[in-house]
Amino acid sequence: MSCLQPSMPNINALSIGSGATQGTVRPVGNFNAQNDAEVIRRAMKGAGTDEQAIIDIVCNRSNDQRQKIKLAFKTLYGKDLIKDLKSELSGNMEELIIALFMPTTYYDAWSVRKAMEGAGTQDRVLIEILCTRSNHEIQEIVRCYKNELGRDIEKDLKKDTSGHFKRLLISMSQGNRDETQSVDQQKARADAERLYRAGEGKLGTDESTFNMVLATRSFPQLRATLQEYSRMANRELINSIDREFSGDVRDGMHAIVQCVMNRPAFFAEKLYKAMKGLGTSDSTIIRVIVTRSEIDLVQIKQVFWEKYQKSLRTMVEHDTSGDYKRMLLSGSD
């Protein structure tokens, strides 16, 4: 999916703060869903599976085009493409293919549900999705969670999380952040003072003040508040959060502030941590690459290179193997 090119493009002309971002996957021209469905069907017929043929199609189509291929497959053959692929593939390759064929919103909703199923809760997945998406994306996730998965996201959050972390996630799940692009500097100064008095400026911490400001203010407004806070406290707000909070609520607030400052850097860090040291969190790699491939993966790769002095492609090559690796690297020069 042209995901991980070996050379890092120069994107200095693109302003992260202004929202000028670029995905690595774009809709292919001269698209024919029926032809693609036929190629995939032939790749699965007979002895063995032609994984490369599947990779060539799936990784070079947009999510919207993949949905059309899925529909064409069912129309042509009366069979569910996902079920057929599951019967032919396994492991990480199966997980990646299934993720690519899920509609974008459904994949987010499914990931949130999966994070809360069974024993234990994958809090970092909840943070990654609920603390980084736009109002519209959150509202669509909540709607999909109810209509497609038959569950109430707020009830599940209340059941599977607790304390200030629960309150932060419930605030984020409303999808009700102010999205005004203009900045009120006086409000930024007032919010910075409010945050300082709620944390560094008192014994103990008023968590609700942090929740209110971080969950409701627009990203441009929060950016101005971060600048005012730094001038006032002689410390970055993200460092104050580290001093005042711990555990999941700290990580959630950390994610919001990171996304305000540089959203691609947040995802670059997620990918790096998924691969550094012993073991690899393949689900994290799959989720981040799939969900960001049509949004800002170009910027994520650039930040990855700048922060870690190695390319994302190099690390993926080192930490993955076989068809799974080829699929992640498909389309690279």
Side-chain angles (χ1 to χ4, degrees):
M1 52 194 147
S2 304
C3 282
L4 310 172
Q5 299 160 5
S7 59
M8 296 295 104
N10 185 339
I11 59 162
N12 291 334
L14 294 174
S15 167
I16 299 296
S18 70
T21 54
Q22 184 181 346
T24 54
V25 173
R26 298 185 182 90
V28 71
N30 301 316
F31 172 66
N32 187 309
Q34 184 169 315
N35 286 351
D36 285 351
E38 289 172 354
V39 170
I40 292 173
R41 171 67 172 157
R42 285 196 299 271
M44 293 189 290
K45 282 183 72 176
T49 303
D50 184 353
E51 284 89 355
Q52 191 59 53
I54 296 173
I55 290 170
D56 290 342
I57 295 286
V58 176
C59 292
N60 293 289
R61 304 293 185 269
S62 68
N63 187 274
D64 182 64
Q65 289 176 332
R66 290 183 212 116
Q67 304 317 309
K68 291 180 170 67
I69 294 169
K70 205 161 56 172
L71 178 60
F73 192 92
K74 185 167 278 189
T75 303
L76 287 170
Y77 308 112
K79 300 180 72 178
D80 187 287
L81 175 56
I82 301 302
K83 286 183 179 176
D84 274 17
L85 286 168
K86 276 184 156 184
S87 70
E88 298 288 330
L89 306 170
S90 62
N92 294 324
M93 181 72 167
E94 177 189 346
E95 184 177 345
L96 177 54
I97 283 271
I98 300 310
L100 287 164
F101 269 108
M102 283 186 189
T104 303
T105 301
Y106 183 89
Y107 183 47
D108 273 348
W110 177 86
S111 296
V112 168
R113 178 61 198 139
K114 188 180 176 187
M116 291 189 281
E117 276 185 329
T121 303
Q122 294 175 295
D123 296 319
R124 291 184 183 279
V125 177
L126 301 180
I127 291 167
E128 179 193 319
I129 294 171
L130 296 177
C131 293
T132 69
R133 305 305 195 245
S134 69
N135 280 353
H136 177 70
E137 288 168 335
I138 292 287
Q139 290 160 9
E140 289 301 306
I141 289 166
V142 171
R143 187 175 296 116
C144 180
Y145 198 90
K146 189 170 190 66
N147 295 341
E148 300 293 328
L149 303 180
R151 302 186 66 89
D152 185 290
I153 199 168
E154 189 170 321
K155 285 182 180 176
D156 281 353
L157 288 171
K158 285 177 178 176
K159 175 173 168 287
D160 282 270
T161 61
S162 61
H164 296 294
F165 180 55
K166 174 182 71 177
R167 288 194 275 281
L168 178 66
L169 291 183
I170 288 174
S171 292
M172 300 310 296
S173 71
Q174 304 311 301
N176 195 35
R177 180 185 298 283
D178 178 16
E179 291 189 330
T180 306
Q181 293 304 298
S182 60
V183 172
D184 183 333
Q185 207 63 42
Q186 188 172 345
K187 182 192 278 187
R189 282 192 291 274
D191 279 347
E193 289 174 8
R194 187 179 286 124
L195 290 168
Y196 183 76
R197 289 197 303 270
E200 297 276 6
K202 65 174 294 203
L203 185 64
T205 307
D206 178 4
E207 293 88 356
S208 62
T209 296
F210 279 81
N211 193 99
M212 182 272 290
V213 173
L214 293 177
T216 63
R217 303 296 190 248
S218 71
F219 273 25
Q221 186 67 37
L222 279 173
R223 206 167 289 122
T225 300
L226 296 183
Q227 293 167 353
E228 291 291 342
Y229 187 92
S230 179
R231 280 195 285 269
M232 178 188 308
N234 290 318
R235 179 179 286 120
E236 301 297 330
L237 179 60
I238 202 163
N239 295 328
S240 291
I241 287 170
D242 286 342
R243 288 160 62 95
E244 297 292 320
F245 296 91
S246 62
D248 296 322
V249 68
R250 177 198 61 205
D251 293 343
M253 291 182 179
H254 219 280
I256 295 167
V257 173
Q258 279 185 295
C259 287
V260 169
M261 296 189 298
N262 188 331
R263 194 188 307 264
F266 169 79
F267 288 108
E269 184 179 305
K270 290 281 294 183
L271 287 167
Y272 180 74
K273 286 181 175 178
M275 291 182 280
K276 74 168 187 173
L278 292 173
T280 301
S281 176
D282 291 291
S283 290
T284 299
I285 298 169
I286 291 167
R287 193 175 54 253
V288 173
I289 288 177
V290 168
T291 58
R292 309 314 296 182
S293 62
E294 294 185 53
I295 301 173
D296 55 3
L297 194 51
V298 168
Q299 282 70 36
I300 291 167
K301 290 188 298 178
Q302 177 72 23
V303 173
F304 196 98
W305 176 265
E306 291 167 355
K307 284 188 71 170
Y308 306 114
Q309 300 304 301
K310 60 179 69 177
S311 71
L312 178 55
R313 187 183 201 279
T314 298
M315 283 198 74
V316 169
E317 282 184 321
H318 182 266
D319 279 76
T320 61
S321 61
D323 293 321
Y324 170 53
K325 175 170 77 172
R326 283 194 286 278
M327 191 159 201
L328 287 173
L329 299 175
S330 178
S332 298
D333 293 330

